Amino acid sequence: MSMNNSPNVFLDPNANRFQVNIINESHDNNETSQEDVGSDPPHYEETSFTDEAHNRLRISYRPGKRELYDNFLQNGEKTEASLHPYDTHTKMYYLQTFGHNTVDPVPKIDYYRNTGSVSGNKLSRPSLLEIHEQLAKNIAVSTGSVERVANGESTAGDETAVSKEEENKTGFVKFGWVKGVLVRCMLNIWGVMLFIRLSWIVGQAGIGLGIVVIGLSVVVTTLTGISMSAICTNGVVRGGGAYYLISRSLGPEFGGSIGLIFAFANAVAVAMYVVGFAETVVELLKESDTLMVDESNDIRIIGTITVVCLLSISVAGMEWEAKAQVILLVVLLVAIANFFIGTVIPTNNEKNARGFFNYQASIFAENFGPDFRSGEGFFSVFAIFFPAATGILAGANISGDLKDPQSAIPKGTMLAILITTIAYIGVAVCVASCVVRDATGNINDTVVPGMSCNGSSACSLGYDFSRCASQPCDYGLMNNFQVMSMVSGFGPLITAGIFSATLSSALASLVSAPKVFQALCKDNIYKALHFFAKGYGKNNEPIRGYVLTFIIAMAFILIAELNTIAPIISNFFLASYALINFSCFHASYAKSPGWRPAFRYYNMWVSLFGALLCCGVMFVINWWAALITYAIELFLYIYVTYKKPEVNWGSSTQALYYINALDSALALTTVEDHVKNFRPQCIALTGAPMIRPALLDITHTFTKNNGLCICCEVYTGPRKLCVKEMNSGMAKKQDWLTKNKRKAFYAAVAADSFRDGVKSLLQASGLGRMKPNTLVIGFKKDWRNATATQVENYVGVIHDAFDFELGMIIVRISQGFDISQVLQVQEELEKLEQERLALEATIKENDFEEGKSGICGFFRKASTLNISKHETKKESTINTLQSMHVGEFNQKLLEASTQFKKKQGKGTIDIWWLFDDGGLTILIPYILTIRKKWKNCKLRIFTGGKVNRIEEEKLVMASLLSKFRIKFADINIICDINIKPNKESWKFFEEMIEPYRLHESCKDITTAEKLKRETPWKITDAELEAFKEKSYRQVRLNELLQEHSRAANLIVLSLPVARKGVVSDYLYMAWLEILSKNLPPILMVRGNHKNVLTFYS
């Protein structure tokens, strides 16, 4: 392979790593194009790394076909290819990868995208079938479409491409990690607490415990940030923030519940922050005596105006909101810097009287220890401070508006936590080193000469604030919330900082709530909320969500009872943090191969500790609010679980289900089977489960919540077609079982014959101890019209089941099980109904436009009349079909197919336990009677016995059943099983087997031998004579069944066993036919002659 290592190749951003060449596979073309000169043979070219010909495909042309290829090349400039384009007649062209003629594409990210990806088009790689099977000429290459086919795109991807082009035209506004995450998180974490509460907290807890309070809060947020970083870097992050992270990790149940309360919490937080801003403005109005109405109403008025202004900024677009955030951050940083500058500016007497003395070691020492007052303690102070540390999700909440959320969210969030923590600790230490806890504010309260200071730092600095111990004072760390304004170099800047902190937090929450809510609504977890999923403009702005958030915020501003709801909102945020931590732990614990976060600095046990810490902090902040949060979350979790949204996000919950199932299956293999734990584990040969629902229903009745049930289907015929059909239908049929609440698995095999397929299923089905022990099969009602091979396969399956030591259940109902014809007719009628509705919609559309005047309207009217005629014709066709199929629609068949779904009325289950098979014949009906649908049916036992020992036989059977703890209504001893049947019954049996008899005794030996060789499946006279008594018994049993069990709801009968190689298939089928003919639903059961019942404890 030739390589070009010139630096230009690697510097060119448009150059492709691989040049993929289309190769002509003609073996009769000896001419070569100019590009092929010197190559031998002419059809093959090496893959190169050059940027020759502007990265276009190098092509060897057929004579006279250059123009066609020129047209082809004009359709696109891409070189990567995934499919081989070729025509369907005589010419074939392949894409060359690594110098070989192959359909295999090189690895490419576009093959791994989701459908509808906004970051690029999803391409479809060749299927395994296309690569594995012989090359088929099934893809036509037309001018203008070759490039698309060459790149693995199908028509389904065209819409995605169009939408992508539109997106590119309009241009999304995407943010980097600084403006998108760092700025938002810092603004949200630096709240009003920094300016008006931090001084009080450090006064109560002291510098030492104050740092511990800040540190503990930071531990919670840092652990959450680490967990969030791990989740964010484990795949592409879309819009939705915390909701997206939790839902994609833990599934829709957790995500849906936390997403709703998180969005609501952000909406109410808007009101909280706005009211905080309004209160500060009202305080300024009070000082200047310019209140509009009164304090409460002024707060409402100012709050309303503020929310409207913030909503206008948000609706204007994310770029305007981002600019506003940057301005607010600048103001906030100036305010913080103003505070630090103020601490070193020399004080005056007025500030000294209020407790500010610049940096003093004595003040630092005095304020280092705690001094809790007014019933406060460490945890109560912590509960007040902790909301100031929240806000770390501000960047994640707009994840859909970030250029690279995987990188931006971890980097921006963790750096914001670090910067804000340093700021909080710095402010706390500085303010506690400059200001005493209590001060009178009176400049005349100076120290009298000779006065003892008793270790008071204020006293040592010349001021006597001792009266604050006996009466309340207005200044100092403990009494004045405006300490930072007093300390700062320019007081109004602190007020501006408070405005900035409140407005920025309100703005962030006003943006976060609609974004999270929109992502939740798009996933359609709560169908009633899907209205709010629609976005507008180039940034897909959730305008409807903004309006809803505005309404919620306004409602709480007008209610003005935020002190009550504030703890609940804090707990809502903490619940989100807890679930983010738990998501990281759960994903790690599930050990899914898909859990591969690029962020490595996490530990699953640390994440679990973080989750528990968040839950603990919830109770520390407010125990009743924590209980309310848990109650709401539990309610929403149960609701979403009940609704079962049709989503599949590959959550760690799914991974853990698999791990638990695997561990349980492996643990089960170490447990020896015990007869007390026996349960029927059935393979039911239903074919497609919807084709024979009654067979599935009766099997499901005694396996539901009790044992394994596998619905099996055998595909016979050309292997390629069978495998294709089987693979395409697997998921659909399993979904049908799930949708119809059938606790069963679906399995299918492709085999040369029905018997071979069943044999494979009998041997390979199951896992460990969860292997089938019973085969359930429907009676072959059409055996007399079937071929000899089909009958041989059917009876062979019964023999194979016994060979593999499985129990056997043959089920027969009068109408049969197969309803495929009914389903086919229903499907046809549904299609016709859809066509009729489509025609009606077309006519309505034309009628709507018919109002337009002129010749156009006339022609539209004419076309409407034509459509109406067509519709009439269609309707008449439908009516004809319906009337035609009324007779064919076998109502009895439909009723029979659902008979085991219905609740059985009072009646009996008659058990003809003629042979001891280990107890399966008695266990199956017992299980039926403990089911809700069969609980009104009583068990009647029929068994053989002698005439002179009827009572003794009854007592023996009653004793046996009582030891097995099986209740029964009656026991009948049948003494005349072995007498000959009546002549009519025997004649019917003889007429039934007549077409299958050989009658060799009536022919000469040569002819008889020839017939035996030609038709080995026929019943010989010798065989019929040898098993005459057994044949009598089957006919006689049917007579007895008609006599005793004709009115039973269900009959369970011991299945006769035919010796393999001795009893012919047709004779055995005749026995089963005569035995079960003209009876209620009947189960012919034969266990594997191993005990399934025990009377030992």
Side-chain angles (χ1 to χ4, degrees), residues 903-1024:
K903 186 171 183 179
Q904 305 294 317
K906 290 186 177 181
T908 63
I909 299 176
D910 288 0
I911 306 170
W912 290 70
W913 196 12
L914 306 176
F915 310 107
D916 195 328
D917 58 352
L920 187 65
T921 307
I922 200 77
L923 179 63
I924 294 295
Y926 165 74
I927 294 173
L928 290 177
T929 58
I930 62 177
R931 302 299 188 192
K932 198 185 297 184
K933 292 173 184 173
W934 293 84
K935 67 180 182 180
N936 292 329
C937 294
K938 306 296 183 183
L939 297 183
R940 292 198 304 171
I941 312 299
F942 295 84
T943 188
K946 297 180 180 178
V947 178
N948 56 352
R949 297 188 70 246
I950 291 178
E951 294 303 320
E952 291 87 339
E953 298 281 359
K954 275 189 179 182
L955 290 173
V956 169
M957 180 57 70
S959 174
L960 178 61
L961 292 173
S962 63
K963 285 185 176 181
F964 287 147
R965 302 169 303 284
I966 294 176
K967 295 181 180 179
F968 56 91
D970 192 18
I971 295 176
N972 295 276
I973 306 298
I974 307 300
C975 306
D976 52 352
I977 293 177
N978 291 323
I979 67 172
K980 283 186 178 182
N982 62 50
K983 291 181 180 180
E984 289 79 9
S985 299
W986 181 249
K987 184 179 180 183
F988 177 83
F989 178 77
E990 286 185 322
E991 289 175 352
M992 183 171 59
I993 64 173
E994 179 61 31
Y996 315 109
R997 290 187 61 182
L998 191 64
H999 289 295
E1000 78 278 10
S1001 57
C1002 303
K1003 299 176 179 65
D1004 58 82
I1005 296 175
T1006 306
T1007 305
E1009 290 297 326
K1010 183 181 177 182
L1011 286 172
K1012 281 183 183 179
R1013 285 194 302 272
E1014 291 175 351
T1015 54
W1017 46 268
K1018 284 200 171 183
I1019 305 169
T1020 64
D1021 293 342
E1023 177 192 359
L1024 193 60

Side-chain angles (χ1 to χ4, degrees), residues 50-238:
T50 67
D51 56 349
E52 183 179 346
H54 307 289
N55 290 331
R56 286 187 146 190
L57 300 178
R58 295 177 61 199
I59 301 171
S60 60
Y61 304 102
R62 285 177 175 270
K65 297 296 180 182
R66 185 175 188 116
E67 184 180 348
L68 171 65
Y69 286 100
D70 286 339
N71 291 333
F72 157 64
L73 288 175
Q74 289 170 7
N75 291 324
E77 295 293 331
K78 296 181 181 178
T79 59
E80 296 91 353
S82 61
L83 278 178
H84 52 287
Y86 49 84
D87 63 24
T88 56
H89 301 292
T90 58
K91 300 178 287 297
M92 294 178 112
Y93 303 99
Y94 300 88
L95 291 176
Q96 185 178 7
T97 307
F98 303 125
H100 300 284
N101 279 351
T102 178
V103 192
D104 268 344
V106 295
K108 188 175 182 181
I109 192 171
D110 294 329
Y111 297 127
Y112 298 90
R113 297 190 191 279
N114 285 335
T115 304
S117 171
V118 296
S119 56
N121 292 339
K122 174 179 172 59
L123 302 186
S124 300
R125 68 175 63 81
S127 68
L128 186 61
L129 188 67
E130 290 171 331
I131 295 173
H132 185 229
E133 293 291 338
Q134 291 183 358
L135 196 61
K137 302 180 182 182
N138 57 359
I139 300 181
V141 178
S142 61
T143 304
S145 66
V146 179
E147 179 70 18
R148 186 182 61 192
V149 177
N151 284 279
E153 298 177 42
S154 61
T155 54
D158 291 348
E159 291 181 10
T160 304
V162 171
S163 63
K164 179 122 187 332
E165 285 177 12
E166 290 177 358
E167 290 166 4
N168 291 336
K169 286 177 185 176
T170 55
F172 280 87
V173 177
K174 297 287 186 180
F175 303 113
W177 70 274
V178 176
K179 190 183 287 188
V181 182
L182 180 64
V183 170
R184 292 172 188 280
C185 288
M186 287 171 62
L187 283 169
N188 239 27
I189 295 171
W190 278 333
V192 71
M193 190 75 67
L194 177 66
F195 297 103
I196 62 174
R197 279 290 190 274
L198 189 57
S199 57
W200 178 85
I201 287 167
V202 78
Q204 290 277 356
I207 295 173
L209 283 181
I211 293 174
V212 172
V213 167
I214 296 171
L216 184 57
S217 302
V218 171
V219 166
V220 174
T221 56
T222 303
L223 294 181
T224 305
I226 290 172
S227 298
M228 184 170 64
S229 300
I231 298 170
C232 284
T233 57
N234 190 54
V236 177
V237 178
R238 302 294 183 203

Side-chain angles (χ1 to χ4, degrees), residues 752-912:
D752 294 331
S753 70
F754 176 72
R755 183 178 182 181
D756 288 342
V758 176
K759 199 182 293 185
S760 300
L761 289 166
L762 294 177
Q763 294 177 87
S765 295
L767 185 69
R769 296 286 180 191
M770 293 186 294
K771 288 185 72 69
N773 53 33
T774 306
L775 174 64
V776 181
I777 189 170
F779 178 70
K780 189 170 180 61
K781 192 178 178 183
D782 64 343
W783 65 275
R784 281 183 278 184
N785 299 322
T787 63
T789 303
Q790 290 174 329
V791 174
E792 181 186 359
N793 282 334
Y794 182 84
V795 177
V797 164
I798 300 172
H799 289 310
D800 293 336
F802 291 144
D803 286 343
F804 297 130
E805 296 189 337
L806 268 70
M808 187 75 207
I809 301 176
I810 300 177
V811 187
R812 183 174 186 180
I813 58 177
S814 58
Q815 298 298 321
F817 293 105
D818 193 339
I819 63 167
S820 55
Q821 290 183 350
V822 175
L823 295 177
Q824 187 177 354
V825 171
Q826 287 178 342
E827 188 177 348
E828 289 175 2
L829 291 175
E830 285 175 5
K831 286 181 181 178
L832 289 171
E833 179 66 15
Q834 289 174 358
E835 288 181 16
R836 186 183 68 80
L837 293 173
L839 282 169
E840 283 183 357
T842 305
I843 291 168
K844 285 179 182 177
E845 185 179 346
N846 287 328
D847 286 342
F848 177 75
E849 295 181 357
E850 199 176 293
K852 296 180 179 180
S853 61
I855 190 71
C856 296
F858 173 78
F859 283 117
R860 283 196 194 97
K861 190 169 183 179
S863 64
T864 304
L865 289 172
N866 289 334
I867 293 171
S868 300
K869 290 177 183 178
H870 187 55
E871 181 202 19
T872 307
K873 186 178 178 182
K874 278 282 182 184
E875 283 184 347
S876 65
T877 306
I878 293 170
N879 293 332
T880 305
L881 270 170
Q882 288 175 335
S883 60
M884 182 176 67
H885 287 296
V886 164
E888 297 177 13
F889 248 100
N890 193 331
Q891 194 62 30
K892 290 183 179 178
L893 179 58
L894 281 175
E895 291 175 1
S897 69
T898 60
Q899 62 181 305
F900 297 124
K901 289 181 182 177
K902 301 172 184 175
K903 186 171 183 179
Q904 305 294 317
K906 290 186 177 181
T908 63
I909 299 176
D910 288 0
I911 306 170
W912 290 70

Side-chain angles (χ1 to χ4, degrees), residues 319-337:
E319 64 269 32
W320 288 98
E321 187 266 348
K323 290 173 184 175
Q325 293 280 26
V326 171
I327 294 170
L328 292 172
L329 178 64
V330 171
V331 174
L332 197 59
L333 289 173
V334 169
I336 294 172

